[in-house]
Amino acid sequence: MSNPYKEIFKAPGAMGFSAAGFVARLPIAMAPIGIVAMLSQTHGEYWLAGAVSATFALTNALVSPQISRWVDRLGQSAVIVPTTIVSVLAFFVLIAAANQDWPVWTLFASAFLAASMPSMPAMIRARWTEIFRNRPELNTAFAFESSADELVYIAGASLSVGLAVALFPEAGMLTGTIFLALGTAAFVLQRATEPRVRGSEGDVVQGSAIRQRPVQIITLALIFVGSIFATAEVSAVAITKELGQPNAASLVIGVYAVGSFAVGLLLGALNPRMALHRQLLIAVIVLAVTSLPLLAAGTVPTLAFAVFLSGIAISPTFITAFGLIERRVPESMLTEGVTWVMTGIGIGMALGAFVSGWVVDTYGAHDGFWVSVAAGAATVVTIALGQRSLAGESAISAPGQLSQPAE
């Protein structure tokens, strides 16, 4: 049996844009935590570090879908180049402001402008779609990208903090900014794989991709999934600290990502033929059920096992969600549609961290996992109620969009 991952990289240019894209998206994980690590050391105030980091993260969540909308209209190179230049320059100003103790407003202003950083995961998936549109290899490519996203969040955050602590406060942010500049440049230079700009192709699609019902359903569902992801991290830190083994938190969180990473690769290799909307429903049901053992974890080993178990459905959920976006969103809106889903994950992580932190402070470390249970149930309800739309059976999803048949 041939290796499906080896097969997808036989496509001309696939290895090049995927490698460049991996480097270019490391700042997605490095920047938010890197800002906190940098400012907490240079200014000694965690509230300030958190506020500046939140300014960057929330602004990027709002701006990146609009950037991707312009990418769909004008092409990747025409939009990625200027927005990345603005982001890189703003990051350098932020680093200088932290190092030179410039006024506080310069920190917020530069973080706000740095948020023009484009959504590289969406750009990469758009290129895979251009190569394998309506072919089974696309599911394998999406599985690879979901696993790569896991590595980005694991490696990026650890690298950013590690450099800031080991070398100097600005080291993590400086490295992330260099990755953004060099990775994006290498990505843009590969013009052969850049998706062509598509018109509405007879559908007379108007407005934003978020008006498409499948995008609304999947984005809402992945807000809940992002909450589960963040809750696992916050609660793991709180519980291991309560158990007197705070250093075990990194191991527990790493196990969470390993479970998701392994199952995601397996799903991509198997490439099941079941309709994607049904695959997604099964994945979120598994996600909800596997969150229940977290409530009973009372030791570090049982916590690690429960967290591993709860992570097995994360990548399958992402893979099938992005596959549905590719099928249900008009080609002229694909990049924006993918970006809205990525934005949903980010919003969910921010909300999950906040809510679970409040629950832990108010009720105790173990009760934080009730946020995961509630979010898991909400995910199942959202996807179950949206099955008809996700199957492409609704008459009209949004003004001007024609229905598409189920797989």
Side-chain angles (χ1 to χ4, degrees):
M1 180 180 176
S2 62
N3 183 341
Y5 293 101
K6 184 178 180 180
E7 294 299 316
I8 64 173
F9 283 108
K10 287 182 179 179
M15 182 67 75
F17 80 73
S18 182
F22 184 86
V23 174
R25 64 182 159 184
L26 277 169
I28 294 174
M30 295 182 71
I33 190 66
I35 292 172
V36 172
M38 177 176 69
L39 295 181
S40 62
Q41 292 184 77
T42 59
H43 287 65
E45 296 175 303
Y46 280 95
W47 74 266
L48 176 63
V52 175
S53 180
T55 297
F56 166 79
L58 293 177
T59 303
N60 183 251
L62 294 173
V63 169
S64 57
Q66 311 312 317
I67 293 174
S68 293
R69 184 178 179 183
W70 282 106
V71 166
D72 285 327
R73 293 182 176 183
L74 303 176
Q76 290 189 349
S77 298
V79 178
I80 292 176
V81 172
T83 54
T84 301
I85 289 174
V86 171
S87 183
V88 168
L89 292 177
F91 275 133
F92 278 130
V93 171
L94 177 60
I95 293 168
N99 181 265
Q100 299 298 314
D101 198 24
W102 291 354
V104 170
W105 70 265
T106 61
L107 301 175
F108 286 96
S110 54
F112 178 83
L113 292 174
S116 63
M117 182 174 69
S119 176
M120 289 308 300
M123 308 302 161
I124 298 168
R125 285 174 170 86
R127 294 202 178 200
W128 282 120
T129 302
E130 186 76 6
I131 296 173
F132 295 124
R133 191 180 304 277
N134 299 322
R135 292 168 56 184
E137 291 92 336
L138 184 59
N139 191 61
T140 302
F142 281 178
F144 174 81
E145 290 305 321
S146 292
S147 298
D149 286 338
E150 297 281 356
L151 288 179
V152 164
Y153 280 104
I154 297 169
S158 300
L159 179 62
S160 188
V161 173
L163 289 172
V165 173
L167 299 179
F168 51 91
E170 302 85 4
M173 285 299 300
L174 181 61
T175 302
T177 303
I178 293 172
F179 282 158
L180 176 62
L182 297 182
T184 304
F187 184 82
V188 169
L189 287 173
Q190 300 178 64
R191 301 296 297 273
T193 54
E194 180 175 344
R196 65 182 179 88
V197 178
R198 287 176 162 82
S200 58
E201 300 181 0
D203 290 340
V204 197
V205 178
Q206 298 178 349
S208 171
I210 197 60
R211 297 178 64 187
Q212 305 291 311
R213 185 57 57 82
V215 177
Q216 295 171 353
I217 294 169
I218 293 176
T219 299
L220 177 60
L222 291 196
I223 288 176
F224 295 127
V225 174
S227 299
I228 296 172
F229 195 83
T231 298
E233 295 182 348
V234 172
S235 298
V237 170
I239 292 175
T240 52
K241 182 178 180 180
E242 187 177 84
L243 293 172
Q245 302 179 61
N247 292 334
S250 59
L251 173 63
V252 172
I253 295 171
V255 165
Y256 184 71
V258 166
S260 176
F261 177 78
V263 176
L265 287 178
L266 179 62
L267 181 65
L270 294 176
N271 212 345
R273 297 185 179 277
M274 181 186 296
L276 283 177
H277 64 283
R278 295 192 182 96
Q279 288 187 47
L280 182 57
L281 181 58
I282 292 172
V284 298
I285 289 173
V286 173
L287 188 67
V289 171
T290 53
S291 67
L292 295 174
L294 292 169
L295 301 173
T299 65
V300 170
T302 57
L303 176 62
F305 176 75
V307 166
F308 173 84
L309 196 64
S310 70
I312 62 175
I314 293 289
S315 276
T317 299
F318 289 171
I319 293 164
T320 50
F322 287 120
L324 280 167
I325 289 293
E326 184 271 331
R327 283 169 171 78
R328 299 292 169 251
V329 176
E331 293 177 3
S332 58
M333 291 182 167
L334 177 62
T335 309
E336 186 193 353
V338 172
T339 304
W340 274 113
V341 174
M342 296 296 301
T343 297
I345 298 170
I347 293 173
M349 291 181 67
L351 291 175
F354 173 77
V355 174
S356 60
W358 177 81
V359 171
V360 167
D361 287 338
T362 305
Y363 299 102
H366 281 83
D367 287 325
F369 283 127
W370 280 107
V371 178
S372 292
V373 174
T379 306
V380 172
V381 171
T382 301
I383 297 300
L385 293 177
Q387 283 289 285
R388 184 180 178 188
S389 293
L390 295 178
E393 296 174 3
S394 57
I396 298 178
S397 299
Q401 184 193 3
L402 301 182
S403 63
Q404 301 180 48
E407 295 90 335

